[in-house]
Amino acid sequence: MTPITRAPSTATDDGRSTRWEDHREARRAELVRVARKVVHHGGPDVSMDDIAAAAGTSKSIVYRYFTDKDGLQLAVAAAVVADIRDALDVAAAGAAGPRDALRGMVDTYLSMIESSPHVYAFVTRGGSVGHFLDSVTELVAAPFVRALEEGPGATADPADAAWTRLWAAGAVGFVRGAGERWLAAPGTPDAGREDREDVATRVAAWLWAGPVGARTREQAGRTEPAPQGDRQDREHPQD
C-alpha cells in the first residue's frame, strides 16, 4: 500500500508552516475517524454528504483533504491496517510458536470483519481493496520471513522469502474468502453459525499444512501430527 506521507517541509523560522501541517494532519485524522464511525453505523454506501455532516463541515471541505471518495477509502483502509498491525503484534507476542502465531493472525482478521463488517466492506471495494490486501499480505508474511532469515536453521536464500510472500498472498485470499462466507452465514453460533475461534483454528490448520508449516517442520527437524482438518477429512471422507 502506498503510504500517506507529508509533503516536504516548508517551515519558516516562526514555525507557522509546521503548525499548519500539524493542524492539517490532525484534521485529516479526525475526518478519517468520523468517516469510519459513520460507515460502521450506516453501512458502506454512506455518502460523502453524510460523512461531512457528521464531521460538522461541508463536502467541499472533505474533498480538500481526500480529493474524492476513493481517497477517503484509502485513508480509512490505512487506519484499519494500522489497527490490524497492532493486533497482530499482540497476537505474535503471546504466541507459543509460528503455528500459534498463524492462528492468532487468522483470528485477528476474522475478529476485524466480525466486529465491523460495514467498515470491512468499505475498505475492500473500489480503488482501496488492492492497497488493503497488499498491506495485510505484508503483515502476514513478515514474521514468517523473519523466522526463515533469523530463526533456527535460518537460510539466506532469497527464494525462501519470495515463496513465503507468495504463500502469504494466497493465505490472505483464502482467509478473506473463508471469512466472508462465514460472516454471510445467517444467525449466530447458537443458531448454527460456526464460532469465530473454531473457524480460526480450522483455517489456520489448513494453512499450516502448506509450505510455511512444511518449511518450519523441516527446520526444526521433526514431523508434526497432521492438522485437525486433515485428520478429520481422512477419517470422515464422506462429510
Side-chain angles (χ1 to χ4, degrees), residues 151-238:
T155 172
D157 187 351
D160 286 334
W163 283 117
T164 300
R165 288 190 169 90
L166 184 62
W167 168 85
V172 169
F174 182 72
V175 174
R176 180 189 179 193
E180 290 177 2
R181 183 175 179 87
W182 163 73
L183 191 66
T188 63
D190 291 338
R193 194 175 86 184
E194 296 89 344
D195 179 77
R196 190 192 78 235
E197 292 188 359
D198 290 341
V199 174
T201 298
R202 180 60 62 92
V203 169
W206 289 334
L207 290 172
W208 186 257
V212 168
R215 180 61 177 166
T216 303
R217 292 192 294 272
E218 176 186 321
Q219 289 178 341
R222 60 187 173 83
T223 301
E224 293 188 353
Q228 178 183 354
D230 286 356
R231 290 199 305 270
Q232 183 167 337
D233 288 344
R234 290 198 297 270
E235 294 168 3
H236 305 285
Q238 74 279 10

Side-chain angles (χ1 to χ4, degrees), residues 119-166:
V119 172
Y120 175 75
F122 185 75
V123 302
T124 54
R125 58 164 57 179
S128 64
V129 59
H131 297 272
F132 175 79
L133 295 177
D134 285 349
S135 296
V136 174
T137 295
E138 283 302 307
L139 292 178
V140 170
F144 294 100
V145 171
R146 285 197 301 270
L148 290 172
E149 295 175 343
E150 303 169 6
T155 172
D157 187 351
D160 286 334
W163 283 117
T164 300
R165 288 190 169 90
L166 184 62

Side-chain angles (χ1 to χ4, degrees), residues 70-89:
D70 281 349
L72 180 59
Q73 283 180 299
L74 285 171
V76 173
V80 172
V81 168
D83 288 347
I84 293 175
R85 179 183 294 108
D86 291 343
L88 290 180
D89 287 344

